[in-house]
Amino acid sequence: MTAVNRHASRGLPPLLVPLLAGGLVVLALGVYGRVHTPTGFAVGVAGFSAALPMKAWLTTGAFVLAIVQVVSALSMWGRLGITIPPGVHRWSGRLAFLLTIPVAFHCLYALGLQYDVPRVLAHSLLGCFFYGVFTAKMLALPRRDAPGWTLPLLGGLAFTGLVGLWLTSSFWFFTVIGIKV
């Protein structure tokens, strides 16, 4: 078997469960966000003046850590010519994800999935997409039989989703409302 055939045989079957689980997360978040009656009030904005500044700053922190993720991933894959310790990639990812949890909770619980304003619709859909891709990436991570493009693709999609979330939330907040804490 040639190298090309060997890599071709590692196609999508190992990714079926991670991709299905990610798709179910997207669907579950979207359905919950749509059928749940939003409460309209924030929960746990400790240290912030209101929910919007909390969400803007936590999302900005996750966005900065996502950039660290991309740089450290490029280093791990030998694309930078420098070595960044693997722990930097793991911990920046963990911290970025943790920063998104209170934001996502507030968005789903207090606001739900909204579709009246195009920016808000895009933001709602990107949130569902981000968590679905993140789920697929985490489930594909231990799969040694997955194609070599799996983690860069899923990581890139997660990064793209987070950038979209930041642009439709934090960037919008800082440019329209202003920089507030």
Side-chain angles (χ1 to χ4, degrees), residues 39-64:
T39 63
F41 64 90
V43 176
V45 295
F48 294 95
S49 60
L52 284 178
M54 174 203 65
K55 290 168 37 175
W57 285 107
L58 291 180
T59 304
T60 298
F63 172 68
V64 169

Side-chain angles (χ1 to χ4, degrees), residues 88-178:
V88 170
H89 188 77
R90 283 188 211 103
W91 281 101
S92 63
R94 289 172 181 159
L95 291 173
F97 181 77
L98 286 175
L99 289 177
T100 69
I101 297 296
V103 175
F105 177 78
H106 177 268
C107 288
L108 280 171
Y109 184 73
L111 306 173
L113 193 144
Q114 298 180 14
Y115 56 86
D116 298 340
V117 177
R119 176 192 62 81
V120 178
L121 172 62
H123 183 74
S124 294
L125 295 175
L126 283 166
C128 296
F129 173 78
F130 169 76
Y131 280 101
V133 170
F134 180 82
T135 299
K137 182 181 181 234
M138 291 300 102
L139 292 174
L141 192 60
R143 300 294 311 243
R144 299 293 174 221
D145 55 346
W149 49 263
T150 302
L151 295 179
L153 177 65
L154 292 175
L157 288 172
F159 177 76
T160 301
L162 192 56
V163 169
L165 284 167
W166 184 82
L167 288 171
T168 58
S169 62
S170 300
F171 180 76
W172 172 86
F173 178 81
F174 293 139
T175 57
V176 172
I177 307 296

